[in-house]
Amino acid sequence: MNRILIVEDEDDIASVLVDYLRHAGYQTERVADGERALERMLQEPPGLTLLDIMLPRLDGMEVLRRARLHGTHPVIMLTARIEEVDRLLGLELGADDYICKPFSPREVVARVRAVLRRSAGGAAAPASPRRLQLDDTHWRASFDGVALNLTRLEFRLLQALSRQPGRIFSRAQLLDLAYEDSVDVTERAVDSHVKNLRRKLAAAVPAHDTIRSVYGVGFAFEEPEG
């Protein structure tokens, strides 16, 4: 059974997280300050850590930075900050996902399951989801046999996102990966192309939000189950 380390100094929030995660079948451990969190992460690494950013004694970003020097177990950051620099810094330091306060406890459980599922796949995971087919020779994409009829830019975006399901890409990163010449392209152009890509994916996967928006950061491809 996966043990979830909850690093949260607000008792009410921590209590809700403990209740929901235990109900979902996870073992939980809660600590309330950064120094104790780092100690537990290094001494007995959990299956996953839910790590608040604003903590006494040692903030969550510093906890993550030091923890990543010694291990790679999954970490989901909990934050009330909306500044993009904080989010991107966390991703560069090795955060696996972000959840913004206030949040739905059910969303937290779903994100925990998704991150644990991805981490269990390891390096042997396929480069793209098995239901998604990408032909980069002819710039064709299909899902469960349904042609997506993408433009070349949409194809490149989908290819970049789907190679690492669940990873959050900033708009700047997607510009570098998907646009051959991004000198005259703004980051907002990425939003427009992602919107069109979502519309086409929705026709093939109507019950699943295949591309998830992460406010203030960018986008992530979520592999549909089944």
Side-chain angles (χ1 to χ4, degrees):
M1 181 184 296
N2 281 304
R3 178 171 59 90
I4 310 299
L5 178 63
I6 300 168
V7 187
E8 172 59 65
D9 61 324
E10 295 185 43
D11 292 338
D12 291 345
I13 294 177
S15 177
V16 170
L17 291 173
V18 167
D19 288 345
Y20 271 79
L21 287 165
R22 286 181 177 173
H23 183 73
Y26 297 104
Q27 293 179 346
T28 63
E29 176 184 359
R30 184 257 176 135
V31 297
D33 70 80
E35 288 188 1
R36 179 60 176 161
L38 182 61
E39 179 182 301
R40 295 299 295 141
M41 292 166 76
L42 298 182
Q43 288 181 350
E44 191 176 349
L48 180 145
T49 294
L50 286 170
L51 179 62
D52 190 25
I53 289 182
M54 299 297 290
L55 294 168
R57 303 180 69 186
L58 197 65
D59 72 75
M61 289 295 189
E62 183 62 16
V63 171
L64 179 61
R65 187 189 70 79
R66 296 187 191 182
R68 281 294 181 250
L69 296 175
H70 303 279
T72 59
H73 82 270
V75 175
I76 297 177
M77 305 297 287
L78 304 175
T79 178
R81 297 182 181 180
I82 61 172
E83 293 87 347
E84 183 173 5
V85 64
D86 287 331
R87 295 162 180 266
L88 295 180
L89 176 59
L91 294 172
E92 290 170 0
L93 289 174
D96 294 271
D97 203 352
Y98 267 93
I99 299 175
C100 293
K101 298 178 181 178
F103 50 71
S104 160
R106 291 185 178 87
E107 178 190 3
V108 175
V109 173
R111 296 281 192 92
V112 165
R113 284 176 175 155
V115 170
L116 287 172
R117 186 168 59 245
R118 293 199 303 268
S119 65
S128 61
R130 60 184 176 83
R131 296 173 60 183
L132 176 66
Q133 299 295 321
L134 298 176
D135 177 359
D136 54 10
T137 300
H138 301 97
W139 304 96
R140 294 173 184 162
S142 64
F143 192 94
D144 282 351
V146 179
L148 298 177
N149 298 318
L150 305 181
T151 66
R152 186 166 293 195
L153 277 173
E154 291 164 359
F155 182 95
R156 287 199 185 108
L157 280 171
L158 181 57
Q159 186 179 53
L161 288 162
S162 65
R163 278 176 172 164
Q164 299 183 64
R167 175 183 169 181
I168 303 168
F169 289 88
S170 70
R171 292 173 177 83
Q173 288 171 326
L174 289 173
L175 277 174
D176 291 339
L177 291 169
Y179 293 76
E180 290 180 337
D181 184 2
S182 60
V183 174
D184 297 321
V185 181
T186 67
E187 292 187 6
R188 289 302 168 190
V190 176
D191 291 359
S192 177
H193 287 114
V194 168
K195 180 180 179 180
N196 292 333
L197 181 56
R198 271 180 162 153
R199 176 174 51 81
K200 295 177 181 181
L201 282 165
V205 203
H208 187 86
D209 187 11
T210 312
I211 298 179
R212 174 167 61 90
S213 294
V214 183
Y215 179 76
V217 184
F219 306 96
F221 185 91
E222 297 294 342
E223 180 177 356
E225 297 181 0

